[in-house]
Amino acid sequence: GENVEQHPSTLSVQEGDSAVIKCTYSDSASNYFPWYKQELGKRPQLIIDIRSNVGEKKDQRIAVTLNKTAKHFSLHITETQPEDSAVYFCAAADSNGGSQGNLIFGKGTKLSVKP
Amino acid sequence: DGGITQSPKYLFRKEGQNVTLSCEQNLNHDAMYWYRQDPGQGLRLIYYSQIVNDFQKGDIAEGYSVSREKKESFPLTVTSAQKNPTAFYLCATGTGMNTIYFGEGSWLTVV
């Protein structure tokens, strides 16, 4: 089955700097890659996702890149702000259905943005 | 999101007791999921259901049971067979295109 590795487990940056979180996956059939942000004590919320027919997707200060050959994808946050501090989870799934269609999550990255 | 309601928010269980966590949705989503979250362990799938009256085991189903009698409801029972149930439990729904949305979560503590 799918296995998703996420690095680093913790990341500390200065306000205004960029942050990059990387994930690798094992199942070449996976074709959907979302990122979730979870603030302390709250539910994970979808912030951006990408499907395998594109290599990059941007939404304001957030971008995700996908390299299907290498089986890795990354979250990029530019001009970080203190409110970006949270745990970020990557996930992967095969959208062609069945049990393989379920999301498999990485273990999370705790991002701290220092003012 | 706002259309997924989990209750109770906090629950305490004594050793040997079964407890049931409620999950209700008004998003008209076919798929519903239960995840368990432990510190440093990410999100692990307990059970999922793609359609009413049908559900499947996830990666850590032992000690848990579910039912899906209505499209809107997917309750999770944590049985006494689950030896380490203290965790944050998240219910989620999906449209069938992989994107899922989480409820607010329920904290379960064994006392």
Side-chain angles (χ1 to χ4, degrees):
Chain A
E2 177 64 276
N3 182 51
V4 177
E5 299 282 344
Q6 183 171 348
H7 299 281
S9 57
T10 60
L11 179 61
S12 182
V13 300
Q14 208 65 34
E15 182 177 1
D17 288 350
S18 295
V20 180
I21 303 170
K22 298 181 180 181
C23 289
T24 60
Y25 61 98
S26 60
D27 188 349
S28 57
S30 290
N31 54 14
Y32 175 65
F33 308 94
W35 287 88
Y36 287 82
K37 174 184 179 182
Q38 185 178 31
E39 297 177 359
L40 190 63
K42 297 189 177 180
R43 61 183 159 193
Q45 293 196 299
L46 179 70
I47 56 172
I48 195 167
D49 58 10
I50 192 169
R51 296 189 186 270
S52 61
N53 56 342
V54 298
E56 184 176 6
K57 185 176 179 180
K58 290 183 179 179
D59 183 3
Q60 299 182 333
R61 296 187 296 108
I62 293 173
V64 57
T65 58
L66 171 65
N67 183 329
K68 285 221 71 179
T69 303
K71 290 190 283 188
H72 68 70
F73 56 111
S74 300
L75 178 71
H76 304 253
I77 306 175
T78 59
E79 301 172 20
T80 54
Q81 301 167 3
E83 51 265 39
D84 294 329
S85 296
V87 178
Y88 292 81
F89 291 97
C90 64
D94 171 6
S95 64
N96 291 318
S99 61
Q100 283 70 38
N102 294 322
L103 288 175
I104 304 299
F105 286 86
K107 292 190 175 182
T109 297
K110 183 178 181 180
L111 173 65
S112 300
V113 180
K114 298 181 179 180
Chain B
D1 282 48
I4 305 168
T5 303
Q6 286 188 242
S7 62
K9 178 72 172 177
Y10 301 95
L11 186 60
F12 298 90
R13 192 195 92 171
K14 293 182 179 179
E15 296 280 352
Q17 271 187 341
N18 293 353
V19 294
T20 297
L21 307 180
S22 170
C23 180
E24 302 281 330
Q25 57 113 348
N26 62 6
L27 301 171
N28 200 33
H29 288 170
D30 288 317
M32 296 188 74
Y33 307 82
W34 275 104
Y35 285 88
R36 170 177 171 148
Q37 187 173 27
D38 297 278
Q41 293 296 318
L43 299 158
R44 293 184 290 169
L45 183 63
I46 305 172
Y47 268 98
Y48 65 98
S49 169
Q50 303 283 11
I51 195 170
V52 175
N53 292 323
D54 187 50
F55 49 83
Q56 306 295 330
K57 292 181 179 180
D59 299 318
I60 55 164
E62 185 175 352
Y64 300 97
S65 66
V66 294
S67 63
R68 187 84 186 276
E69 298 177 359
K70 300 185 300 181
K71 187 175 185 177
E72 300 79 15
S73 179
F74 192 42
L76 173 73
T77 297
V78 185
T79 74
S80 57
Q82 172 50 241
K83 298 307 179 186
N84 185 25
T86 295
F88 188 45
Y89 290 86
L90 287 157
C91 176
T93 70
T95 60
M97 290 299 290
N98 299 116
T99 304
I100 66 172
Y101 304 92
F102 289 94
E104 297 280 1
S106 293
W107 294 90
L108 174 62
T109 304
V110 174
V111 296

